[in-house]
Amino acid sequence: MKNTWRLLIAIPTFALISGIAMAQDSVYHVSRSMTTIPVDGKWDKPQWNEVAKVVLTNYMGEIPPFKPVTHAKMQYDADNLYLIFRVQDRYVSSLVQEPNGPVSRDACVEFFFSPDVHHPLHYFNLEINAGGTVLMRYNGVERKPFTDEDIAAFEVAHSLPKVVDPPINDPVTWTIECRIPLRILEKYGTVTPPSAGIAWRANFYKTASKSTNPHYITWSPVQHEVPNFHLPAYFGQLVFN
């Protein structure tokens, strides 16, 4: 009986949103930025100091021998989303340099989000390896990869070199910071403009699928036997302040 109870409380609660059952466990309140945020990869700069962070603690698949510690913060303004990750890591490599290449093989942070409040299963997946190479796609009725030109409109800062080879096996802390222009998102899918009280669906991830310490870590829990980040029904909530 005790084991059964533990299993039951580990399963996320669900609510109907637009007739679709969506996970309700995780909520992050996104602050509106009142100042310009320089995109330089510095986690401790004044623009981020008072902003709440999320911590990624949920594993999919086999738990790795070394557990990276990953935090993320997010802000927005009328024109942009701002996102920063900090990872306390080991066994870090970063090889992919082509936009929309297989960056999740490398040490990689990811942000999947559904900005259309009427279609929460339509989502963008942003993936950035430790060297700052970006993969960006929209997953709606059709799957649309972003063009190189539109990816170049993102501003991305990374604390590690563009290529990390051989791997850094000793402890290392690295950051990724980016600015995402809303106007670029609107070219691919519907975006409900962020403002006070608006709630999007999203999840934050950390992975390194081809490293010597492979792992799949999530912010909002995902109940799926095989690691798979493309499950928007398990996204948590982003509530804009």
Side-chain angles (χ1 to χ4, degrees), residues 31-66:
S31 302
R32 185 182 181 98
S33 175
M34 297 293 106
T35 61
T36 300
I37 302 178
V39 179
D40 55 17
K42 295 180 180 178
W43 176 267
D44 294 324
K45 62 174 172 271
Q47 291 86 351
W48 288 113
N49 282 346
E50 302 302 318
V51 176
K53 63 180 180 289
V54 300
V55 57
L56 282 59
T57 59
N58 300 289
Y59 283 84
M60 300 188 71
E62 185 174 349
I63 296 177
F66 171 76

PDB file of all heavy atoms in Angstrom, residues 31-66:
ATOM      1  N   SER A  31       8.730  37.771 -14.962  1.00  0.00           N
ATOM      2  CA  SER A  31       8.770  39.205 -14.689  1.00  0.00           C
ATOM      3  C   SER A  31       8.871  40.003 -15.980  1.00  0.00           C
ATOM      4  O   SER A  31       9.502  39.571 -16.950  1.00  0.00           O
ATOM      5  CB  SER A  31       9.972  39.544 -13.792  1.00  0.00           C
ATOM      6  OG  SER A  31       9.925  38.825 -12.585  1.00  0.00           O
ATOM      7  N   ARG A  32       8.267  41.190 -15.950  1.00  0.00           N
ATOM      8  CA  ARG A  32       8.429  42.121 -17.065  1.00  0.00           C
ATOM      9  C   ARG A  32       9.664  42.972 -16.808  1.00  0.00           C
ATOM     10  O   ARG A  32       9.829  43.526 -15.714  1.00  0.00           O
ATOM     11  CB  ARG A  32       7.203  43.012 -17.226  1.00  0.00           C
ATOM     12  CG  ARG A  32       7.280  43.926 -18.453  1.00  0.00           C
ATOM     13  CD  ARG A  32       6.073  44.832 -18.576  1.00  0.00           C
ATOM     14  NE  ARG A  32       6.184  45.670 -19.759  1.00  0.00           N
ATOM     15  CZ  ARG A  32       5.608  45.424 -20.924  1.00  0.00           C
ATOM     16  NH1 ARG A  32       4.834  44.343 -21.046  1.00  0.00           N
ATOM     17  NH2 ARG A  32       5.766  46.224 -21.949  1.00  0.00           N
ATOM     18  N   SER A  33      10.524  43.069 -17.786  1.00  0.00           N
ATOM     19  CA  SER A  33      11.741  43.862 -17.641  1.00  0.00           C
ATOM     20  C   SER A  33      11.432  45.333 -17.882  1.00  0.00           C
ATOM     21  O   SER A  33      10.809  45.698 -18.883  1.00  0.00           O
ATOM     22  CB  SER A  33      12.806  43.399 -18.631  1.00  0.00           C
ATOM     23  OG  SER A  33      13.943  44.235 -18.558  1.00  0.00           O
ATOM     24  N   MET A  34      11.888  46.161 -16.959  1.00  0.00           N
ATOM     25  CA  MET A  34      11.703  47.607 -17.082  1.00  0.00           C
ATOM     26  C   MET A  34      12.935  48.284 -17.683  1.00  0.00           C
ATOM     27  O   MET A  34      12.929  49.488 -17.899  1.00  0.00           O
ATOM     28  CB  MET A  34      11.401  48.213 -15.710  1.00  0.00           C
ATOM     29  CG  MET A  34      10.102  47.722 -15.085  1.00  0.00           C
ATOM     30  SD  MET A  34       8.614  48.265 -15.989  1.00  0.00           S
ATOM     31  CE  MET A  34       8.122  46.745 -16.808  1.00  0.00           C
ATOM     32  N   THR A  35      13.980  47.526 -17.925  1.00  0.00           N
ATOM     33  CA  THR A  35      15.207  48.080 -18.486  1.00  0.00           C
ATOM     34  C   THR A  35      15.702  47.173 -19.612  1.00  0.00           C
ATOM     35  O   THR A  35      15.281  46.023 -19.753  1.00  0.00           O
ATOM     36  CB  THR A  35      16.319  48.170 -17.420  1.00  0.00           C
ATOM     37  OG1 THR A  35      16.614  46.851 -16.930  1.00  0.00           O
ATOM     38  CG2 THR A  35      15.876  49.051 -16.250  1.00  0.00           C
ATOM     39  N   THR A  36      16.605  47.679 -20.393  1.00  0.00           N
ATOM     40  CA  THR A  36      17.237  46.878 -21.439  1.00  0.00           C
ATOM     41  C   THR A  36      18.162  45.842 -20.794  1.00  0.00           C
ATOM     42  O   THR A  36      18.913  46.165 -19.870  1.00  0.00           O
ATOM     43  CB  THR A  36      18.052  47.774 -22.381  1.00  0.00           C
ATOM     44  OG1 THR A  36      17.178  48.728 -22.982  1.00  0.00           O
ATOM     45  CG2 THR A  36      18.727  46.940 -23.467  1.00  0.00           C
ATOM     46  N   ILE A  37      18.090  44.617 -21.268  1.00  0.00           N
ATOM     47  CA  ILE A  37      18.939  43.550 -20.735  1.00  0.00           C
ATOM     48  C   ILE A  37      20.068  43.269 -21.731  1.00  0.00           C
ATOM     49  O   ILE A  37      19.812  42.770 -22.833  1.00  0.00           O
ATOM     50  CB  ILE A  37      18.135  42.265 -20.488  1.00  0.00           C
ATOM     51  CG1 ILE A  37      16.981  42.533 -19.511  1.00  0.00           C
ATOM     52  CG2 ILE A  37      19.044  41.158 -19.943  1.00  0.00           C
ATOM     53  CD1 ILE A  37      16.101  41.327 -19.251  1.00  0.00           C
ATOM     54  N   PRO A  38      21.300  43.597 -21.372  1.00  0.00           N
ATOM     55  CA  PRO A  38      22.406  43.247 -22.271  1.00  0.00           C
ATOM     56  C   PRO A  38      22.594  41.740 -22.299  1.00  0.00           C
ATOM     57  O   PRO A  38      22.600  41.074 -21.261  1.00  0.00           O
ATOM     58  CB  PRO A  38      23.611  43.957 -21.649  1.00  0.00           C
ATOM     59  CG  PRO A  38      23.257  44.084 -20.197  1.00  0.00           C
ATOM     60  CD  PRO A  38      21.770  44.246 -20.135  1.00  0.00           C
ATOM     61  N   VAL A  39      22.732  41.178 -23.486  1.00  0.00           N
ATOM     62  CA  VAL A  39      22.873  39.732 -23.633  1.00  0.00           C
ATOM     63  C   VAL A  39      24.361  39.410 -23.679  1.00  0.00           C
ATOM     64  O   VAL A  39      24.998  39.485 -24.731  1.00  0.00           O
ATOM     65  CB  VAL A  39      22.132  39.229 -24.884  1.00  0.00           C
ATOM     66  CG1 VAL A  39      22.306  37.720 -25.045  1.00  0.00           C
ATOM     67  CG2 VAL A  39      20.653  39.585 -24.801  1.00  0.00           C
ATOM     68  N   ASP A  40      24.903  39.065 -22.514  1.00  0.00           N
ATOM     69  CA  ASP A  40      26.340  38.817 -22.392  1.00  0.00           C
ATOM     70  C   ASP A  40      26.662  37.525 -21.647  1.00  0.00           C
ATOM     71  O   ASP A  40      27.823  37.216 -21.399  1.00  0.00           O
ATOM     72  CB  ASP A  40      27.027  39.999 -21.706  1.00  0.00           C
ATOM     73  CG  ASP A  40      26.402  40.344 -20.350  1.00  0.00           C
ATOM     74  OD1 ASP A  40      25.660  39.505 -19.792  1.00  0.00           O
ATOM     75  OD2 ASP A  40      26.639  41.462 -19.861  1.00  0.00           O
ATOM     76  N   GLY A  41      25.619  36.762 -21.242  1.00  0.00           N
ATOM     77  CA  GLY A  41      25.846  35.492 -20.583  1.00  0.00           C
ATOM     78  C   GLY A  41      26.188  35.586 -19.114  1.00  0.00           C
ATOM     79  O   GLY A  41      26.530  34.570 -18.498  1.00  0.00           O
ATOM     80  N   LYS A  42      26.062  36.762 -18.509  1.00  0.00           N
ATOM     81  CA  LYS A  42      26.438  36.949 -17.102  1.00  0.00           C
ATOM     82  C   LYS A  42      25.229  36.726 -16.200  1.00  0.00           C
ATOM     83  O   LYS A  42      24.313  37.547 -16.147  1.00  0.00           O
ATOM     84  CB  LYS A  42      27.036  38.337 -16.899  1.00  0.00           C
ATOM     85  CG  LYS A  42      28.349  38.529 -17.653  1.00  0.00           C
ATOM     86  CD  LYS A  42      28.920  39.912 -17.442  1.00  0.00           C
ATOM     87  CE  LYS A  42      30.236  40.083 -18.215  1.00  0.00           C
ATOM     88  NZ  LYS A  42      30.795  41.449 -18.063  1.00  0.00           N
ATOM     89  N   TRP A  43      25.236  35.627 -15.498  1.00  0.00           N
ATOM     90  CA  TRP A  43      24.122  35.237 -14.629  1.00  0.00           C
ATOM     91  C   TRP A  43      23.910  36.233 -13.485  1.00  0.00           C
ATOM     92  O   TRP A  43      22.777  36.484 -13.063  1.00  0.00           O
ATOM     93  CB  TRP A  43      24.401  33.840 -14.072  1.00  0.00           C
ATOM     94  CG  TRP A  43      23.403  33.313 -13.097  1.00  0.00           C
ATOM     95  CD1 TRP A  43      23.449  33.415 -11.731  1.00  0.00           C
ATOM     96  CD2 TRP A  43      22.203  32.583 -13.397  1.00  0.00           C
ATOM     97  NE1 TRP A  43      22.362  32.800 -11.167  1.00  0.00           N
ATOM     98  CE2 TRP A  43      21.587  32.276 -12.164  1.00  0.00           C
ATOM     99  CE3 TRP A  43      21.602  32.143 -14.584  1.00  0.00           C
ATOM    100  CZ2 TRP A  43      20.393  31.556 -12.082  1.00  0.00           C
ATOM    101  CZ3 TRP A  43      20.415  31.424 -14.506  1.00  0.00           C
ATOM    102  CH2 TRP A  43      19.815  31.137 -13.276  1.00  0.00           C
ATOM    103  N   ASP A  44      24.988  36.816 -12.966  1.00  0.00           N
ATOM    104  CA  ASP A  44      24.917  37.639 -11.762  1.00  0.00           C
ATOM    105  C   ASP A  44      24.777  39.128 -12.033  1.00  0.00           C
ATOM    106  O   ASP A  44      24.959  39.932 -11.117  1.00  0.00           O
ATOM    107  CB  ASP A  44      26.160  37.388 -10.895  1.00  0.00           C
ATOM    108  CG  ASP A  44      26.195  35.973 -10.339  1.00  0.00           C
ATOM    109  OD1 ASP A  44      25.119  35.440 -10.019  1.00  0.00           O
ATOM    110  OD2 ASP A  44      27.292  35.400 -10.245  1.00  0.00           O
ATOM    111  N   LYS A  45      24.463  39.524 -13.243  1.00  0.00           N
ATOM    112  CA  LYS A  45      24.336  40.959 -13.495  1.00  0.00           C
ATOM    113  C   LYS A  45      23.056  41.518 -12.870  1.00  0.00           C
ATOM    114  O   LYS A  45      22.109  40.764 -12.587  1.00  0.00           O
ATOM    115  CB  LYS A  45      24.402  41.256 -14.985  1.00  0.00           C
ATOM    116  CG  LYS A  45      23.332  40.659 -15.849  1.00  0.00           C
ATOM    117  CD  LYS A  45      23.488  41.186 -17.282  1.00  0.00           C
ATOM    118  CE  LYS A  45      22.570  40.474 -18.255  1.00  0.00           C
ATOM    119  NZ  LYS A  45      23.218  39.280 -18.813  1.00  0.00           N
ATOM    120  N   PRO A  46      22.983  42.830 -12.625  1.00  0.00           N
ATOM    121  CA  PRO A  46      21.860  43.425 -11.894  1.00  0.00           C
ATOM    122  C   PRO A  46      20.489  43.117 -12.500  1.00  0.00           C
ATOM    123  O   PRO A  46      19.511  42.970 -11.763  1.00  0.00           O
ATOM    124  CB  PRO A  46      22.167  44.929 -11.933  1.00  0.00           C
ATOM    125  CG  PRO A  46      23.656  45.013 -12.079  1.00  0.00           C
ATOM    126  CD  PRO A  46      24.039  43.838 -12.923  1.00  0.00           C
ATOM    127  N   GLN A  47      20.400  43.017 -13.818  1.00  0.00           N
ATOM    128  CA  GLN A  47      19.099  42.801 -14.464  1.00  0.00           C
ATOM    129  C   GLN A  47      18.478  41.460 -14.115  1.00  0.00           C
ATOM    130  O   GLN A  47      17.283  41.259 -14.307  1.00  0.00           O
ATOM    131  CB  GLN A  47      19.233  42.937 -15.985  1.00  0.00           C
ATOM    132  CG  GLN A  47      19.528  44.345 -16.468  1.00  0.00           C
ATOM    133  CD  GLN A  47      21.008  44.673 -16.461  1.00  0.00           C
ATOM    134  OE1 GLN A  47      21.840  43.913 -15.933  1.00  0.00           O
ATOM    135  NE2 GLN A  47      21.362  45.807 -17.032  1.00  0.00           N
ATOM    136  N   TRP A  48      19.283  40.515 -13.608  1.00  0.00           N
ATOM    137  CA  TRP A  48      18.761  39.190 -13.253  1.00  0.00           C
ATOM    138  C   TRP A  48      18.720  38.932 -11.752  1.00  0.00           C
ATOM    139  O   TRP A  48      18.143  37.927 -11.310  1.00  0.00           O
ATOM    140  CB  TRP A  48      19.607  38.093 -13.916  1.00  0.00           C
ATOM    141  CG  TRP A  48      19.433  37.965 -15.392  1.00  0.00           C
ATOM    142  CD1 TRP A  48      20.365  38.240 -16.353  1.00  0.00           C
ATOM    143  CD2 TRP A  48      18.270  37.526 -16.106  1.00  0.00           C
ATOM    144  NE1 TRP A  48      19.862  38.003 -17.605  1.00  0.00           N
ATOM    145  CE2 TRP A  48      18.566  37.569 -17.483  1.00  0.00           C
ATOM    146  CE3 TRP A  48      16.999  37.105 -15.706  1.00  0.00           C
ATOM    147  CZ2 TRP A  48      17.654  37.195 -18.462  1.00  0.00           C
ATOM    148  CZ3 TRP A  48      16.081  36.742 -16.682  1.00  0.00           C
ATOM    149  CH2 TRP A  48      16.406  36.789 -18.042  1.00  0.00           C
ATOM    150  N   ASN A  49      19.346  39.803 -10.961  1.00  0.00           N
ATOM    151  CA  ASN A  49      19.542  39.489  -9.543  1.00  0.00           C
ATOM    152  C   ASN A  49      18.250  39.256  -8.774  1.00  0.00           C
ATOM    153  O   ASN A  49      18.188  38.412  -7.883  1.00  0.00           O
ATOM    154  CB  ASN A  49      20.353  40.596  -8.868  1.00  0.00           C
ATOM    155  CG  ASN A  49      21.842  40.489  -9.167  1.00  0.00           C
ATOM    156  OD1 ASN A  49      22.308  39.461  -9.649  1.00  0.00           O
ATOM    157  ND2 ASN A  49      22.582  41.547  -8.891  1.00  0.00           N
ATOM    158  N   GLU A  50      17.206  40.012  -9.074  1.00  0.00           N
ATOM    159  CA  GLU A  50      15.953  39.910  -8.322  1.00  0.00           C
ATOM    160  C   GLU A  50      14.926  39.016  -9.006  1.00  0.00           C
ATOM    161  O   GLU A  50      13.761  38.961  -8.583  1.00  0.00           O
ATOM    162  CB  GLU A  50      15.363  41.315  -8.110  1.00  0.00           C
ATOM    163  CG  GLU A  50      16.278  42.282  -7.389  1.00  0.00           C
ATOM    164  CD  GLU A  50      16.695  41.774  -6.013  1.00  0.00           C
ATOM    165  OE1 GLU A  50      15.822  41.222  -5.300  1.00  0.00           O
ATOM    166  OE2 GLU A  50      17.877  41.926  -5.656  1.00  0.00           O
ATOM    167  N   VAL A  51      15.320  38.337 -10.051  1.00  0.00           N
ATOM    168  CA  VAL A  51      14.390  37.513 -10.829  1.00  0.00           C
ATOM    169  C   VAL A  51      14.389  36.085 -10.290  1.00  0.00           C
ATOM    170  O   VAL A  51      15.452  35.494 -10.057  1.00  0.00           O
ATOM    171  CB  VAL A  51      14.773  37.519 -12.322  1.00  0.00           C
ATOM    172  CG1 VAL A  51      13.869  36.591 -13.130  1.00  0.00           C
ATOM    173  CG2 VAL A  51      14.704  38.949 -12.870  1.00  0.00           C
ATOM    174  N   ALA A  52      13.201  35.522 -10.098  1.00  0.00           N
ATOM    175  CA  ALA A  52      13.079  34.148  -9.607  1.00  0.00           C
ATOM    176  C   ALA A  52      13.644  33.171 -10.632  1.00  0.00           C
ATOM    177  O   ALA A  52      13.592  33.412 -11.843  1.00  0.00           O
ATOM    178  CB  ALA A  52      11.622  33.818  -9.319  1.00  0.00           C
ATOM    179  N   LYS A  53      14.171  32.047 -10.154  1.00  0.00           N
ATOM    180  CA  LYS A  53      14.734  31.036 -11.034  1.00  0.00           C
ATOM    181  C   LYS A  53      13.967  29.730 -10.900  1.00  0.00           C
ATOM    182  O   LYS A  53      13.281  29.489  -9.903  1.00  0.00           O
ATOM    183  CB  LYS A  53      16.210  30.779 -10.716  1.00  0.00           C
ATOM    184  CG  LYS A  53      16.488  30.223  -9.331  1.00  0.00           C
ATOM    185  CD  LYS A  53      17.970  29.999  -9.129  1.00  0.00           C
ATOM    186  CE  LYS A  53      18.304  29.443  -7.749  1.00  0.00           C
ATOM    187  NZ  LYS A  53      18.113  30.439  -6.691  1.00  0.00           N
ATOM    188  N   VAL A  54      14.062  28.918 -11.933  1.00  0.00           N
ATOM    189  CA  VAL A  54      13.560  27.551 -11.865  1.00  0.00           C
ATOM    190  C   VAL A  54      14.766  26.622 -11.759  1.00  0.00           C
ATOM    191  O   VAL A  54      15.873  26.965 -12.186  1.00  0.00           O
ATOM    192  CB  VAL A  54      12.709  27.168 -13.094  1.00  0.00           C
ATOM    193  CG1 VAL A  54      11.501  28.079 -13.222  1.00  0.00           C
ATOM    194  CG2 VAL A  54      13.524  27.192 -14.382  1.00  0.00           C
ATOM    195  N   VAL A  55      14.543  25.452 -11.180  1.00  0.00           N
ATOM    196  CA  VAL A  55      15.588  24.438 -11.097  1.00  0.00           C
ATOM    197  C   VAL A  55      15.071  23.172 -11.759  1.00  0.00           C
ATOM    198  O   VAL A  55      13.910  22.797 -11.586  1.00  0.00           O
ATOM    199  CB  VAL A  55      16.015  24.183  -9.636  1.00  0.00           C
ATOM    200  CG1 VAL A  55      14.845  23.768  -8.774  1.00  0.00           C
ATOM    201  CG2 VAL A  55      17.136  23.141  -9.572  1.00  0.00           C
ATOM    202  N   LEU A  56      15.913  22.548 -12.564  1.00  0.00           N
ATOM    203  CA  LEU A  56      15.534  21.336 -13.290  1.00  0.00           C
ATOM    204  C   LEU A  56      15.949  20.126 -12.461  1.00  0.00           C
ATOM    205  O   LEU A  56      17.147  19.907 -12.251  1.00  0.00           O
ATOM    206  CB  LEU A  56      16.203  21.304 -14.660  1.00  0.00           C
ATOM    207  CG  LEU A  56      15.590  22.186 -15.760  1.00  0.00           C
ATOM    208  CD1 LEU A  56      15.574  23.652 -15.399  1.00  0.00           C
ATOM    209  CD2 LEU A  56      16.302  21.973 -17.089  1.00  0.00           C
ATOM    210  N   THR A  57      14.965  19.355 -11.989  1.00  0.00           N
ATOM    211  CA  THR A  57      15.252  18.256 -11.070  1.00  0.00           C
ATOM    212  C   THR A  57      14.651  16.924 -11.491  1.00  0.00           C
ATOM    213  O   THR A  57      14.872  15.912 -10.812  1.00  0.00           O
ATOM    214  CB  THR A  57      14.714  18.596  -9.661  1.00  0.00           C
ATOM    215  OG1 THR A  57      13.306  18.826  -9.742  1.00  0.00           O
ATOM    216  CG2 THR A  57      15.397  19.824  -9.089  1.00  0.00           C
ATOM    217  N   ASN A  58      13.882  16.898 -12.568  1.00  0.00           N
ATOM    218  CA  ASN A  58      13.169  15.680 -12.960  1.00  0.00           C
ATOM    219  C   ASN A  58      13.898  14.990 -14.106  1.00  0.00           C
ATOM    220  O   ASN A  58      14.177  15.607 -15.133  1.00  0.00           O
ATOM    221  CB  ASN A  58      11.744  16.032 -13.382  1.00  0.00           C
ATOM    222  CG  ASN A  58      10.968  16.702 -12.261  1.00  0.00           C
ATOM    223  OD1 ASN A  58      10.601  16.070 -11.277  1.00  0.00           O
ATOM    224  ND2 ASN A  58      10.733  18.000 -12.406  1.00  0.00           N
ATOM    225  N   TYR A  59      14.166  13.693 -13.922  1.00  0.00           N
ATOM    226  CA  TYR A  59      14.918  12.937 -14.917  1.00  0.00           C
ATOM    227  C   TYR A  59      13.993  12.044 -15.732  1.00  0.00           C
ATOM    228  O   TYR A  59      13.040  11.469 -15.201  1.00  0.00           O
ATOM    229  CB  TYR A  59      15.985  12.076 -14.237  1.00  0.00           C
ATOM    230  CG  TYR A  59      17.183  12.880 -13.802  1.00  0.00           C
ATOM    231  CD1 TYR A  59      17.174  13.562 -12.593  1.00  0.00           C
ATOM    232  CD2 TYR A  59      18.306  12.998 -14.614  1.00  0.00           C
ATOM    233  CE1 TYR A  59      18.266  14.326 -12.195  1.00  0.00           C
ATOM    234  CE2 TYR A  59      19.395  13.752 -14.226  1.00  0.00           C
ATOM    235  CZ  TYR A  59      19.372  14.419 -13.019  1.00  0.00           C
ATOM    236  OH  TYR A  59      20.443  15.180 -12.634  1.00  0.00           O
ATOM    237  N   MET A  60      14.302  11.939 -17.005  1.00  0.00           N
ATOM    238  CA  MET A  60      13.671  10.957 -17.879  1.00  0.00           C
ATOM    239  C   MET A  60      14.708   9.886 -18.201  1.00  0.00           C
ATOM    240  O   MET A  60      15.891  10.180 -18.391  1.00  0.00           O
ATOM    241  CB  MET A  60      13.167  11.601 -19.168  1.00  0.00           C
ATOM    242  CG  MET A  60      12.143  12.699 -18.974  1.00  0.00           C
ATOM    243  SD  MET A  60      11.435  13.252 -20.557  1.00  0.00           S
ATOM    244  CE  MET A  60      10.438  11.826 -20.974  1.00  0.00           C
ATOM    245  N   GLY A  61      14.248   8.639 -18.288  1.00  0.00           N
ATOM    246  CA  GLY A  61      15.177   7.559 -18.589  1.00  0.00           C
ATOM    247  C   GLY A  61      16.107   7.280 -17.426  1.00  0.00           C
ATOM    248  O   GLY A  61      15.819   7.585 -16.261  1.00  0.00           O
ATOM    249  N   GLU A  62      17.275   6.723 -17.729  1.00  0.00           N
ATOM    250  CA  GLU A  62      18.231   6.326 -16.701  1.00  0.00           C
ATOM    251  C   GLU A  62      18.874   7.548 -16.056  1.00  0.00           C
ATOM    252  O   GLU A  62      19.294   8.487 -16.756  1.00  0.00           O
ATOM    253  CB  GLU A  62      19.308   5.439 -17.326  1.00  0.00           C
ATOM    254  CG  GLU A  62      20.296   4.856 -16.335  1.00  0.00           C
ATOM    255  CD  GLU A  62      21.260   3.875 -16.982  1.00  0.00           C
ATOM    256  OE1 GLU A  62      21.020   3.490 -18.153  1.00  0.00           O
ATOM    257  OE2 GLU A  62      22.254   3.508 -16.330  1.00  0.00           O
ATOM    258  N   ILE A  63      18.950   7.572 -14.747  1.00  0.00           N
ATOM    259  CA  ILE A  63      19.591   8.678 -14.034  1.00  0.00           C
ATOM    260  C   ILE A  63      21.105   8.549 -14.189  1.00  0.00           C
ATOM    261  O   ILE A  63      21.671   7.483 -13.945  1.00  0.00           O
ATOM    262  CB  ILE A  63      19.186   8.681 -12.554  1.00  0.00           C
ATOM    263  CG1 ILE A  63      17.679   8.934 -12.432  1.00  0.00           C
ATOM    264  CG2 ILE A  63      19.959   9.748 -11.780  1.00  0.00           C
ATOM    265  CD1 ILE A  63      17.155   8.899 -11.022  1.00  0.00           C
ATOM    266  N   PRO A  64      21.798   9.616 -14.591  1.00  0.00           N
ATOM    267  CA  PRO A  64      23.232   9.506 -14.880  1.00  0.00           C
ATOM    268  C   PRO A  64      24.072   9.443 -13.610  1.00  0.00           C
ATOM    269  O   PRO A  64      23.624   9.852 -12.523  1.00  0.00           O
ATOM    270  CB  PRO A  64      23.512  10.808 -15.648  1.00  0.00           C
ATOM    271  CG  PRO A  64      22.537  11.774 -15.065  1.00  0.00           C
ATOM    272  CD  PRO A  64      21.275  10.974 -14.820  1.00  0.00           C
ATOM    273  N   PRO A  65      25.311   8.959 -13.719  1.00  0.00           N
ATOM    274  CA  PRO A  65      26.203   8.939 -12.546  1.00  0.00           C
ATOM    275  C   PRO A  65      26.452  10.338 -11.983  1.00  0.00           C
ATOM    276  O   PRO A  65      26.481  10.533 -10.772  1.00  0.00           O
ATOM    277  CB  PRO A  65      27.488   8.322 -13.087  1.00  0.00           C
ATOM    278  CG  PRO A  65      27.061   7.537 -14.284  1.00  0.00           C
ATOM    279  CD  PRO A  65      25.918   8.302 -14.883  1.00  0.00           C
ATOM    280  N   PHE A  66      26.631  11.332 -12.875  1.00  0.00           N
ATOM    281  CA  PHE A  66      26.783  12.723 -12.446  1.00  0.00           C
ATOM    282  C   PHE A  66      25.520  13.490 -12.814  1.00  0.00           C
ATOM    283  O   PHE A  66      25.058  13.435 -13.958  1.00  0.00           O
ATOM    284  CB  PHE A  66      27.996  13.387 -13.104  1.00  0.00           C
ATOM    285  CG  PHE A  66      28.065  14.861 -12.851  1.00  0.00           C
ATOM    286  CD1 PHE A  66      28.482  15.341 -11.614  1.00  0.00           C
ATOM    287  CD2 PHE A  66      27.674  15.773 -13.827  1.00  0.00           C
ATOM    288  CE1 PHE A  66      28.518  16.706 -11.362  1.00  0.00           C
ATOM    289  CE2 PHE A  66      27.712  17.141 -13.580  1.00  0.00           C
ATOM    290  CZ  PHE A  66      28.139  17.604 -12.345  1.00  0.00           C
TER     291      PHE A  66
END
